[in-house]
Amino acid sequence: MDWCTVIEIVVVAYIAIQILRLIFADCDLQLQWAEKFGRSTGSLARKVVWITGASSGIGEYLSYELAQAGCRLVLSARREEELQRVKKQCLSYGNLMDDDVLVLPLDMLKFDLHKPAVEEVLSRFKQIDVLVNNAGRAQRALWEKTDIQVDRDMLEINVLSVLSLTKQVLPHMIERKQGHIVNMSSIAGKLGAPMSGSYTGAKHALQGWFSCLRVEMFPRNIAVTNICPGPVFSNLLKTSFTEKSGELLGVEMMEGEKRMSTQRCARLSAVAIANRLDEVWIALQPILTVVYLSQYMPTITGWVTKQVGVKYIMKFREGK
Ligand SMILES: NC(=O)c1ccc[n+]([C@@H]2O[C@H](COP(=O)([O-])OP(=O)(O)OC[C@H]3O[C@@H](n4cnc5c(N)ncnc54)[C@H](OP(=O)(O)O)[C@@H]3O)[C@@H](O)[C@H]2O)c1
């Protein structure tokens, strides 16, 4: 066998392995690699991590994952009793003392409370190592029927409140010459998700804003990670917006639907944080493959998506 044949076999085998890894994957290749060979979440021990939207869903389970890694935590959301429940569970792992977890109720829409909230965290812990902008709301509605006020509401909660809190935390990180901003974006921040125009627009905006910040902050040793999950079990559809401002969708996710477990999404998010990855995609198949294809062949993927149609796509999104 000559060298050319050996090289050809190695290349073909490598491509085959990558294809197999993709078929069985629930996240992008770099995140898979980081989970196996990268920094462990234990490397985050004693870091001060502030998680917004920690009272349920992904934020709640990320709090558990980071508590097990030994992070000191600030838990924020509006419902204080739910945050206390999450704190109790965080303490039950035995890595943290009562003083290591601060419950800090915060309505992200009350922008004037962001500065005092940052001051409160700093007066308790003297530092903020990681800010996880996770609080958010979804939306289900036809684009043409969506009231413009819903678009505004969605931008307020999923974009502007995140920018505001981050702008209050950044000066502290810049002064310390270290820090990490993490945003819970979505696969809807990468692709057009029909029946969620305002949500998709808001998550795309988040990606854009923070991709710029990432480049600006690199020389200052501040990382920016955008996490993009596909469908995950949580309370998201219960409090989702509709076409009318102020109306809630009120849909419960049901066991047996095809969604990623909240625990798995939180685990992969924690790996992304520990490894300071720029952007990660966390989704079951076939959504993960669609994201890959749409990055490299947007028009062909768009053509296929249009042929498949809204009804069928929504079945996938709803885990049916
Ligand atoms: N689940 C999915 O399929 C999925 C997929 C992709 C991306 N995401 C993103 O993941 C993030 C978390 O969502 P989730 O799925 O875990 O849903 P969830 O269970 O509904 O959690 C949403 C969290 O946001 C908080 N929140 C909502 N409005 C708030 C406000 N005005 N001020 C402060 N906190 C507020 C909620 O707490 P309170 O009600 O106590 O305030 C709750 O803790 C969101 O950004 C969402 O877009 C979710």
Side-chain angles (χ1 to χ4, degrees):
M1 215 187 292
D2 64 12
W3 277 109
C4 282
T5 319
V6 172
I7 290 169
E8 269 173 34
I9 291 173
V10 170
V11 169
V12 170
Y14 177 79
I15 293 171
I17 290 169
Q18 295 309 320
I19 291 172
L20 277 177
R21 281 179 66 184
L22 180 60
I23 289 170
F24 294 107
D26 59 4
C27 63
D28 66 85
L29 289 171
Q30 218 177 337
L31 184 53
Q32 280 182 61
W33 181 269
E35 191 184 19
K36 283 210 170 67
F37 307 112
R39 268 193 299 275
S40 77
T41 54
S43 64
L44 296 168
R46 302 311 291 165
K47 297 236 182 250
V48 176
V49 184
W50 184 358
I51 304 172
T52 68
S55 62
S56 83
I58 300 171
E60 174 182 346
Y61 279 78
L62 183 60
S63 306
Y64 301 154
E65 196 65 45
L66 296 179
Q68 291 172 74
C71 296
R72 291 176 285 168
L73 295 171
V74 182
L75 306 177
S76 288
R78 291 165 302 178
R79 291 168 298 162
E80 186 171 0
E81 61 295 0
E82 291 303 312
L83 293 174
Q84 292 295 354
R85 175 184 62 77
V86 175
K87 173 174 177 173
K88 205 168 152 200
Q89 181 67 29
C90 287
L91 295 180
S92 74
Y93 301 115
N95 292 336
L96 301 172
M97 310 290 282
D98 191 74
D99 271 3
D100 291 331
V101 184
L102 172 64
V103 165
L104 180 63
L106 177 65
D107 184 342
M108 286 297 291
L109 292 174
K110 296 191 173 148
F111 288 34
D112 52 332
L113 298 181
H114 292 180
K115 190 165 188 263
V118 174
E119 286 165 358
E120 196 174 334
V121 177
L122 289 178
S123 86
R124 164 71 86 91
F125 291 116
K126 313 289 178 247
Q127 69 195 65
I128 301 167
D129 294 293
V130 186
L131 169 66
V132 183
N133 290 310
N134 166 75
R137 303 274 293 270
Q139 179 223 16
R140 289 288 186 273
L142 264 181
W143 201 108
E144 83 216 45
K145 296 235 166 105
T146 304
D147 195 295
I148 190 74
Q149 188 55 43
V150 174
D151 296 311
R152 282 201 189 99
D153 295 344
M154 194 84 316
L155 286 170
E156 284 277 309
I157 181 65
N158 285 348
V159 184
L160 296 176
S161 77
V162 177
L163 297 183
S164 165
L165 187 63
T166 305
K167 281 173 199 276
Q168 293 300 335
V169 171
L170 264 185
H172 159 73
M173 290 184 172
I174 290 171
E175 199 187 322
R176 275 186 83 214
K177 299 187 177 62
Q178 58 178 291
H180 191 172
I181 307 291
V182 179
N183 302 302
M184 201 53 73
S185 177
S186 170
I187 292 295
K190 303 299 298 176
L191 305 174
M195 299 296 292
S196 298
S198 324
Y199 181 70
T200 300
K203 291 294 186 183
H204 271 69
L206 196 68
Q207 297 271 129
W209 247 292
F210 281 90
S211 299
C212 295
L213 182 68
R214 180 185 299 125
V215 182
E216 290 182 24
M217 285 298 128
F218 175 72
R220 293 165 181 243
N221 192 28
I222 296 167
V224 174
T225 298
N226 286 335
I227 300 177
C228 305
V232 174
F233 281 103
S234 76
N235 287 320
L236 198 67
L237 293 182
K238 227 193 268 179
T239 60
S240 174
F241 291 172
T242 66
E243 60 193 41
K244 268 196 224 131
S245 182
E247 190 177 73
L248 298 184
L249 188 67
V251 168
E252 291 269 4
M253 295 182 187
M254 307 301 281
E255 228 180 288
E257 288 174 347
K258 192 180 173 199
R259 296 174 195 278
M260 185 178 284
S261 75
T262 332
Q263 203 168 11
R264 177 67 183 152
C265 179
R267 161 84 194 136
L268 289 171
S269 302
V271 171
I273 295 171
N275 289 278
R276 291 165 78 94
L277 299 180
D278 284 356
E279 179 175 301
V280 296
W281 306 338
I282 298 174
L284 300 177
Q285 297 290 15
I287 292 177
L288 186 64
T289 301
V290 174
V291 188
Y292 267 106
L293 291 177
S294 75
Q295 293 297 296
Y296 299 108
M297 299 184 286
T299 304
I300 295 178
T301 316
W303 182 84
V304 175
T305 312
K306 283 179 274 179
Q307 308 312 307
V308 167
V310 173
K311 220 168 139 187
Y312 200 64
I313 293 172
M314 287 314 289
K315 273 193 170 177
F316 268 117
R317 287 190 69 203
E318 306 304 354
K320 301 284 188 314

